[in-house]
Amino acid sequence: MSAPLVSIQDLTVQFHGARRASALNQVSLELGQGEVLGLLGESGSGKSVTLRTLLRLHPERHTRTAGRIRVDGQDVLALRGRELDRYRGGTVSMVFQEPGLAFDPVYTIGQQISEAVRVHEGVDQATAAARALAMLERVQIPQARRRFDAYPHELSGGMRQRAMIALALACKPKLLLADEPTTALDATVQIQILLLLRELQRETGMSVIFVTHDIGAAVEVADRIAVMYAGRIVEQGPVGQLVHQPCHPYTRGLLAATVGHEHRGRPLEAIPGSPPDLAALPPGCSFAPRCSHASERCHRDIPPLEQQGARTLACWHPVRLLGEAA
Amino acid sequence: MFAYILKRLIYAIPIALSVTVVSFVLVYLAPGDPLNAIAPADAPEEVIQALKSAYGLDKPVPVQYGLWLMRAVQGDLGLSIASGREVTAEVLSAVSNTLLLAGMAAAIGVVLGCILGALAGYRHGTWIDKAATALSVVGVSIPHYWLGLVLTILFSIWLPWFPAMGAGPGGSGEWLWDLEHLRYLVLPALTLSVIPMGIITRTVRALVADMLGQEFVTALRARGLSGGAVFRHVAKNTAPTVLAVAGLQIGYLMGGSILVETVFAWPGTGFLLNTAIFQRDIPLLQGTILVLCMFFVVLNLLVDILQPLIDPRMGRS
């Protein structure tokens, strides 16, 4: 792997409105060219904040961002004006969770894709429209010609998400951010969209950061998984290792709480308690209040993120080689 | 689309008919006798009877309405009792003056309202937002005849920049599009524009602030669209609602200017209504009310037709 495409160092994001909330705490991540990273965690763990910070989508007046983000050699946090516009959608683009809300309702799908192409590549209307139509065909939208002139509300959820992917890929980004792209869809459509994303990723060789709380989806598309909890990455490693030998108690809890064949007939193990308030994080490990292995040290000191082979882990008492019976 | 317009047009017919009934009958509900205005109180019975039959007042009200409607459809609204001139001609000349005033006031109000509202929406929560909101609240709550008087004192008496009365030099002759005539338009148009400006500022502000918080605007930014391009999207999304509100406001301006037209002696429909009421000039009153109501019907029809052209979610289903 040459120089990483994405390198995030000590990224800290705080929102300050009526209260101050620490959404991300010292997050560091690297992503190589063509790599697919799954960001896994509960709601409020900082997955979407990470993606949105990568595109600088948070309102600047209410957000304090510290740390460094480099994508494709550019210092993302320093981008201004036209540079930022070229970066958004050109170098990095995003597939949103709710395709029904992420399209402008009063322009047709075709108009919106061609507009993005025109803005980024400076081509004329006809060329942009041709590219938009080709993209709709590429994401396997049937009768693409007709869908081109359709308004977002005239398409089904799955169709809209395909169009969203077409829009995101129209300007050949190097990095695709997918923010729970299948959560709002029917189960059958979810699998189709996942397969489509994986296929397009292999064809184009782009890198993908895929945010989800669905472990099945992450395993399906990701090379590597990073588990987030309360604005921190707690464990990170190759998919196989992480799923079969989770070391962090939180990762184990997440896996145990997933419906799977091996659990048939046994009650699901839920993680007791709920995630901490981001405005008042505990002084030590954020997971300690819910963790059955927690010691006094866990409540006092934040465990550092340590490299262990292909994996990084932030835990004082990792669960080692206690692999599942199955 | 054609079928939609046709449907709207057909819907407009019963509305227009009920408007004629109301504008005819309403006048009869008011106390007072139109003959008081033309016949002396001690006129002999035969004279009153002769006058009654001359104006058709001796027939039952439904028959009077039928005759009035038949002539109104042909553009004949009868003769003014007070002046003896044709009501149609009087109303039309007043309407053109009011259209001029209302059009100018609406232009000022809508343009300023949209600019202020968009600024406030974009700078939600800042001092710009607070200033624009305060201005719009003041604009909506201030009585506009009072504002008209204050403006007259300021810019006509203390600072003699603009004339305070009439629609042109030498009273109210033919309107001309020159600087001399436009000076007469400034104060009344400014006074009238304050209410629509306030209402449109508030509408646009709320819409823009709400729109900017929506996911699709974030998505537009994420695509790399510049601030100006995002604004075009926001504007097209807010346009249908702003159009509906503006249409209603223009409707109010058409008939709601009685006080302002009286303050500035502007020879429009409001001024005419005022005169007709005080003189118990029933044909003139009915004619003026009818024409004003028809404005509302037509304006609403226009808004209904324009809205789905902007917002594809309306009308197609």
Side-chain angles (χ1 to χ4, degrees):
Chain A
M1 209 191 297
S2 54
L5 179 72
V6 182
S7 151
I8 300 175
Q9 282 168 23
D10 296 329
L11 183 66
T12 297
V13 175
Q14 289 184 329
F15 298 126
H16 44 98
R19 295 195 317 159
R20 176 162 305 187
S22 304
L24 286 186
N25 296 297
Q26 307 264 310
V27 167
S28 295
L29 260 182
E30 280 196 353
L31 185 67
Q33 209 97 38
E35 202 183 356
V36 180
L37 172 74
L39 269 186
L40 203 62
E42 285 170 276
S43 312
S45 60
K47 304 169 308 217
S48 295
V49 175
T50 308
L51 291 199
R52 281 165 192 249
T53 307
L54 268 165
L55 273 176
R56 297 255 312 269
L57 290 175
H58 293 297
E60 280 177 18
R61 272 197 294 142
H62 300 296
T63 314
R64 184 167 303 157
T65 311
R68 273 160 54 87
I69 303 177
R70 289 190 79 80
V71 176
D72 195 28
Q74 296 179 87
D75 181 356
V76 174
L77 296 180
L79 292 176
R80 291 281 171 271
R82 296 288 289 277
E83 289 172 340
L84 182 58
D85 290 342
R86 265 200 299 274
Y87 166 80
R88 288 170 170 170
T91 311
V92 179
S93 66
M94 183 145 158
V95 173
F96 286 81
Q97 177 174 355
E98 292 264 5
L101 301 177
F103 275 111
D104 182 336
V106 303
Y107 286 89
T108 63
I109 298 290
Q111 281 170 342
Q112 297 191 50
I113 301 178
S114 353
E115 184 186 27
V117 173
R118 242 177 26 250
V119 163
H120 282 287
E121 314 206 342
V123 295
D124 62 76
Q125 181 66 52
T127 317
R131 166 85 70 81
L133 187 59
M135 284 311 299
L136 288 180
E137 280 162 357
R138 190 150 171 213
V139 297
Q140 296 150 26
I141 288 186
Q143 296 176 290
R145 177 74 260 171
R146 229 186 72 214
R147 294 325 201 304
F148 182 90
D149 290 319
Y151 287 96
H153 70 276
E154 295 170 330
L155 299 186
S156 67
M159 225 39 102
R160 276 200 287 255
Q161 196 56 295
R162 282 174 193 271
M164 190 87 236
I165 293 170
L167 171 62
L169 298 187
C171 300
K172 305 192 180 80
K174 295 186 173 156
L175 171 64
L176 180 72
L177 307 176
D179 188 0
E180 307 205 24
T182 58
T183 306
L185 305 175
D186 293 342
T188 47
V189 182
Q190 283 184 357
I191 295 161
Q192 294 170 10
I193 295 289
L194 283 180
L195 293 177
L196 175 71
L197 273 173
R198 196 169 65 181
E199 186 186 322
L200 289 168
Q201 188 273 327
R202 285 182 185 159
E203 258 176 63
T204 57
M206 63 186 171
S207 309
V208 177
I209 300 181
F210 184 92
V211 157
T212 182
H213 54 245
D214 176 357
I215 292 163
V219 170
E220 196 64 46
V221 296
D223 303 320
R224 199 149 55 88
I225 288 180
V227 179
M228 293 192 77
Y229 186 78
R232 292 195 181 93
I233 291 179
V234 293
E235 184 170 13
Q236 189 188 159
V239 171
Q241 264 191 41
L242 204 103
V243 172
H244 294 298
Q245 286 192 315
C247 286
H248 197 286
Y250 178 62
T251 313
R252 287 177 55 84
L254 269 187
L255 288 166
T258 308
V259 183
H261 302 289
E262 62 272 27
H263 296 293
R264 188 177 287 273
R266 272 199 283 153
L268 278 176
E269 292 172 41
I271 306 174
S274 54
D277 181 358
L278 291 175
L281 286 176
C285 174
S286 325
F287 188 60
R290 298 170 74 186
C291 182
S292 54
H293 305 266
S295 66
E296 197 188 320
R297 188 186 193 187
C298 297
H299 289 285
R300 197 178 58 228
D301 302 320
I302 298 176
L305 200 60
E306 281 173 348
Q307 189 82 29
Q308 295 172 354
R311 173 193 321 239
T312 52
L313 182 66
C315 184
W316 293 122
H317 310 293
V319 192
R320 283 187 207 284
L321 305 172
L322 292 169
E324 295 284 325
Chain B
M1 193 62 222
F2 180 74
Y4 173 79
I5 294 176
L6 198 71
K7 207 163 84 181
R8 287 285 139 195
L9 273 172
I10 292 170
Y11 282 161
I13 292 173
I15 298 174
L17 263 180
S18 22
V19 161
T20 63
V21 175
V22 173
S23 49
F24 187 86
V25 173
L26 212 56
V27 173
Y28 280 92
L29 293 179
D33 187 331
L35 291 177
N36 288 347
I38 34 175
D42 56 350
E45 188 59 26
E46 309 89 77
V47 176
I48 288 176
Q49 279 311 322
L51 278 170
K52 267 193 176 172
S53 66
Y55 285 101
L57 295 172
D58 53 346
K59 299 188 182 69
V61 172
V63 176
Q64 286 185 41
Y65 167 73
L67 290 170
W68 178 75
L69 184 64
M70 288 232 302
R71 287 201 302 268
V73 170
Q74 297 160 35
D76 175 12
L77 293 171
L79 297 178
S80 159
I81 292 178
S83 68
R85 279 185 294 190
E86 276 191 26
V87 170
T88 313
E90 292 238 2
V91 173
L92 284 184
S93 112
V95 161
S96 71
N97 281 325
T98 291
L99 273 179
L100 182 68
L101 179 57
M104 189 57 84
I108 297 172
V110 171
V111 169
L112 279 183
C114 285
I115 293 174
L116 280 177
L119 273 176
Y122 259 89
R123 296 273 171 271
H124 190 67
T126 63
W127 66 269
I128 299 179
D129 178 21
K130 283 173 189 135
T133 307
L135 200 66
S136 72
V137 170
V138 169
V140 174
S141 2
I142 218 168
H144 50 357
Y145 54 89
W146 179 83
L147 181 68
L149 292 172
V150 170
L151 286 181
T152 305
I153 295 171
L154 284 178
F155 297 110
S156 195
I157 298 172
W158 291 0
L159 301 167
W161 294 349
F162 302 108
M165 286 176 76
S172 41
E174 187 81 356
W175 174 264
L176 292 169
W177 281 103
D178 59 17
L179 212 59
E180 190 49 40
H181 280 75
L182 279 177
R183 286 180 59 234
Y184 283 82
L185 193 54
V186 173
L187 289 185
L190 218 54
T191 309
L192 259 189
S193 72
V194 165
I195 288 181
M197 186 203 73
I199 288 173
I200 288 168
T201 301
R202 301 193 63 165
T203 311
V204 172
R205 173 188 172 273
L207 284 170
V208 167
D210 169 68
M211 206 67 76
L212 290 178
Q214 286 192 22
E215 185 80 341
F216 84 83
V217 172
T218 309
L220 290 172
R221 292 211 178 99
R223 286 174 213 171
L225 297 193
S226 63
V230 173
F231 178 72
R232 269 205 306 281
H233 281 266
V234 171
K236 195 174 171 187
N237 273 279
T238 44
T241 316
V242 175
L243 194 74
V245 175
L248 214 58
Q249 288 305 309
I250 293 171
Y252 285 129
L253 286 182
M254 293 299 159
S257 53
I258 296 183
L259 294 171
V260 172
E261 286 185 359
T262 306
V263 167
F264 291 99
W266 186 268
T269 46
F271 199 54
L272 194 66
L273 265 183
N274 194 14
T275 323
I277 291 166
F278 277 106
Q279 297 179 337
R280 302 235 165 275
D281 194 338
I282 286 185
L284 188 58
L285 200 52
Q286 286 167 333
T288 315
I289 294 174
L290 178 69
V291 171
L292 289 180
C293 292
M294 285 304 164
F295 265 125
F296 269 95
V297 176
V298 171
L299 267 172
N300 278 321
L301 187 64
L302 278 179
V303 168
D304 276 352
I305 290 173
L306 280 177
Q307 265 181 327
L309 288 180
I310 299 176
D311 191 334
R313 284 168 299 182
M314 298 180 194
R316 276 210 182 178
S317 55

